Amino acid sequence: MDRRSAPVFVRVLAWVVSALVLVVLGFLAWANTPMMGERPAALQVWRDSRVVVTDVGDAVELAPADGRSGTGLVFIPGAVVDPYAYLYKLAETVADTGLTVLITKPTLNLAFFDTRPLADFTSHVPEVDRWYVGGHSLGGVRACQLAADGHVEGLVLFGSYCANDLSRSDLRVLSISGSRDGLSTPAKIDAARGMLPPSATMVQIEGMNHAQFGDYGPQAGDGVATISDAQARQGVTVALVKFFGQG
């Protein structure tokens, strides 16, 4: 490299480094700004005397006030969705079945960056001895990976599907999808059906979109829901209560 080209190289290198720094900073800002739960829905759960909400550090615990059933669900949020955004959709099931739910707080609010084993979460509730893993959207994809380790009884998917093959496993599986989901579309759910055991229970809620699996407002790229959030919650609850009531 001659003396004339050296300053050009330095300027180009400085530009590349600056661009990379901006990209990293932009990503960190996005990842650390989760879609927050809607306050009215969260407050309704906090005021529900049938359930107890506890922040246990790396997860939010949603437990029945009148005693646990012995069955638990570790639930992984969708990408950059606040864990508290799922309380309203899950609270009725907890109250009706005695299910204990631990909604995780993924690293950088993205499930794929979270390499912690399920035991890190289940250890918070040693009195529960039958565990399921589940998640919404990207969180469901991660849940499929964790379900493959053989330490859970089943898998619960909210608007999600597996990228790894669980078709030969003996897992109990419930997949709940929405007919108006613009992200995990019905076509994508159908295309990935072969990754689940033949016995998997597939439930599609008519009129429900992707964001209605939580309560965090509209999401870019999603379809337009034709049912209310209350109707979506009822559909999810009916499916979950039937599934865990049989388990």
Side-chain angles (χ1 to χ4, degrees):
M1 183 182 298
D2 60 36
R3 293 182 179 179
R4 288 174 297 179
S5 62
V8 175
F9 173 77
V10 171
R11 287 197 297 270
V12 171
L13 180 61
W15 182 87
V16 170
V17 171
S18 298
L20 287 174
V21 169
L22 288 174
V23 169
V24 171
L25 290 176
F27 169 78
L28 291 175
W30 170 75
N32 285 286
T33 310
M35 291 179 277
M36 301 300 291
E38 296 177 341
R39 185 175 176 81
L43 285 176
Q44 189 167 332
V45 177
W46 283 98
R47 294 167 178 163
D48 189 339
S49 62
R50 302 172 302 162
V51 299
V52 178
V53 181
T54 308
D55 190 319
V56 294
D58 56 6
V60 179
E61 180 186 349
L62 183 59
D66 293 334
R68 307 176 194 270
S69 68
T71 299
L73 169 67
V74 175
F75 188 87
I76 306 170
V80 293
V81 179
D82 189 272
Y84 287 90
Y86 297 98
L87 291 178
Y88 180 71
K89 289 299 192 299
L90 292 166
E92 197 70 27
T93 298
V94 170
D96 287 352
T97 68
L99 179 72
T100 298
V101 179
L102 289 167
I103 308 171
T104 70
K105 300 178 182 179
T107 305
L108 290 176
N109 294 304
L110 292 167
F112 280 167
F113 287 109
D114 197 339
T115 59
R116 292 171 292 182
L118 284 175
D120 281 15
F121 304 106
T122 60
S123 62
H124 290 301
V125 195
E127 59 268 44
V128 171
D129 56 10
R130 299 171 64 247
W131 284 99
Y132 288 73
V133 64
H136 173 222
S137 194
L138 185 64
V141 178
R142 177 59 179 153
C144 293
Q145 296 173 339
L146 291 169
D149 68 9
H151 298 303
V152 295
E153 297 203 8
L155 172 70
V156 176
L157 299 175
F158 280 15
S160 187
Y161 46 86
C162 291
N164 56 307
D165 190 356
L166 299 175
S167 61
R168 296 184 180 180
S169 73
D170 59 357
L171 293 166
R172 295 187 68 237
V173 177
L174 170 64
S175 172
I176 309 176
S177 60
S179 70
R180 302 289 294 180
D181 193 324
L183 299 173
S184 296
T185 63
K188 291 178 181 178
I189 300 289
D190 289 343
R193 174 63 180 84
M195 294 292 192
L196 300 177
S199 61
T201 299
M202 310 295 292
V203 176
Q204 183 181 96
I205 299 177
E206 190 65 31
M208 185 176 183
N209 69 7
H210 196 74
Q212 285 184 311
F213 282 103
D215 293 280
Y216 53 88
Q219 188 168 358
D222 200 2
V224 177
T226 57
I227 61 174
S228 67
D229 286 343
Q231 290 172 313
R233 184 200 198 199
Q234 182 180 18
V236 169
T237 300
V238 168
L240 287 173
V241 169
K242 183 177 181 180
F243 181 73
F244 284 108
Q246 295 173 344

